[in-house]
Structure formats: C-alpha cells, structure tokens
C-alpha cells in the first residue's frame, strides 16, 4: 500500500516522504513511457513527421497515465465522472512536467528526433529523457503530495 503522507504535519498536511514521491512519479513514468513509446513507434512506423509523432506520443502519455490512475480509483466504487476528476487532479501536473522534460531532452539531442526505431540513438535518447523526467518530476510530486494534491488525491480512494 502506498503511503502518500509520511512524516509530520505541516500546514494542515503531512510532509511527504521522498519514497512516496518516487512511487507517485514511477506511477506517472509508467503511463508516460507506455504512451511515449507507443506514440513514437506508431509515428515512426507510419513515416510521420516529427511534430505529429510527438503530439501522438504526448497525447498517449496522458491517456495511459490517466488510465493507470482510473484503474486504481474505479475499484473504490467511485462513479466514472468522479474517478476521471480524481485522475485529472492526481496526474495532470506530474504528467505535464514529465512530458515537458522528456520531449525537451529528445528535442535537444542532435539527431534524436530523426532516429529510426532500429537505431540505438532512438532508444538511448528515450531512456535518458525518461530518466531525467523522473528526476525532475519527483520533487514536484513531493511538493504536491505534501499539500494534499497530486497523487495524495488518488490515494484517498485506493
């Protein structure tokens, strides 16, 4: 079971541990990675240009990220509308930060946007970008959880 609120009280909310923040970020990373990889694979396989491929990858990252949270909170007898609101509140900022870092890193590495699926550059750039996105997003999630926001919202329903 996740512990969204580890530690002492601060400003009405418990301080979030780095472990809780890392678990929340790993949850987002899973959805983002699934969406990113699927989007990049589909766009590349269909010989799409960079912009539509990245848009597809980002959209799918949000879809998979929200879907993972929905899967967890729908088991708590919430209606679909409420579960969607919980997923949006839990994941939007985390996924947005992760996608900004992930796609920014890919865009900054020379040749990464044009790399084919069969090239090592494609895969190591994707791995590096997701790792950096995890490192940058973890403190964001810790800050949100400590204020009762982000994944702290979803944990109320697990």
């Amino acid at each position: 079971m996740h512990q969204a609120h580890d530690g002492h009280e601060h400003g009405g909310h418990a301080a979030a541990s780095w472990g809780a923040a890392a678990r929340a970020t790993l949850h987002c990373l899973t959805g983002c990675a699934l969406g990113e990889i699927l989007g990049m694979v589909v766009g590349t396989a269909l010989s799409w240009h960079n912009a539509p491929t990245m848009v597809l990858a980002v959209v799918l990252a949000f879809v998979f990220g929200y879907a993972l949270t929905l899967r967890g909170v729908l088991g708590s007898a919430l209606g679909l509308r409420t579960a969607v609101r919980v997923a949006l509140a839990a994941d939007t900022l985390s996924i947005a930060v992760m996608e900004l870092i992930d796609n920014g890193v890919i865009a900054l590495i020379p040749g990464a946007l044009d790399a084919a699926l069969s090239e090592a550059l494609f895969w190591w750039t994707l791995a590096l970008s997701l790792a950096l996105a995890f490192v940058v997003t973890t403190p964001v999630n810790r800050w949100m959880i400590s204020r009762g926001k982000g994944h702290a919202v979803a944990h109320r329903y697990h």
Side-chain angles (χ1 to χ4, degrees):
M1 179 160 168
H2 294 89
Q3 294 178 356
H5 294 292
D6 298 349
H8 63 278
E9 289 291 320
H10 178 72
H13 296 285
S17 72
W18 283 105
R23 287 187 297 275
T25 306
L26 186 59
H27 179 269
C28 281
L29 180 68
T30 302
C32 286
L34 289 169
E36 283 285 329
I37 291 169
L38 182 59
M40 296 286 194
V41 167
V42 168
T44 302
L46 296 175
S47 300
W48 288 0
H49 293 287
N50 292 335
T53 298
M54 287 185 88
V55 168
L56 177 63
V58 169
V59 167
L60 289 176
F62 275 92
V63 167
F64 277 89
Y66 291 141
L68 288 176
T69 297
L70 279 172
R71 181 189 60 139
V73 298
L74 281 172
S76 68
L78 287 180
L80 181 60
R81 175 178 240 164
T82 303
V84 168
R85 287 185 187 142
V86 168
L88 292 172
D91 292 332
T92 300
L93 182 59
S94 182
I95 295 171
V97 170
M98 193 163 285
E99 286 303 298
L100 178 66
I101 300 303
D102 174 42
N103 287 289
V105 168
I106 292 171
L108 289 174
I109 294 178
L113 284 173
D114 297 318
L117 295 174
S118 60
E119 294 178 55
L121 177 62
F122 176 89
W123 295 104
W124 77 257
T125 301
L126 186 58
L128 175 66
S129 69
L130 290 170
L132 290 174
F134 177 86
V135 168
V136 172
T137 307
T138 298
V140 173
N141 280 325
R142 183 173 185 251
W143 176 79
M144 289 192 309
I145 292 168
S146 71
R147 282 151 183 80
K149 308 285 185 205
H151 276 260
V153 175
H155 284 280
R156 294 178 197 140
Y157 301 99
H158 283 258

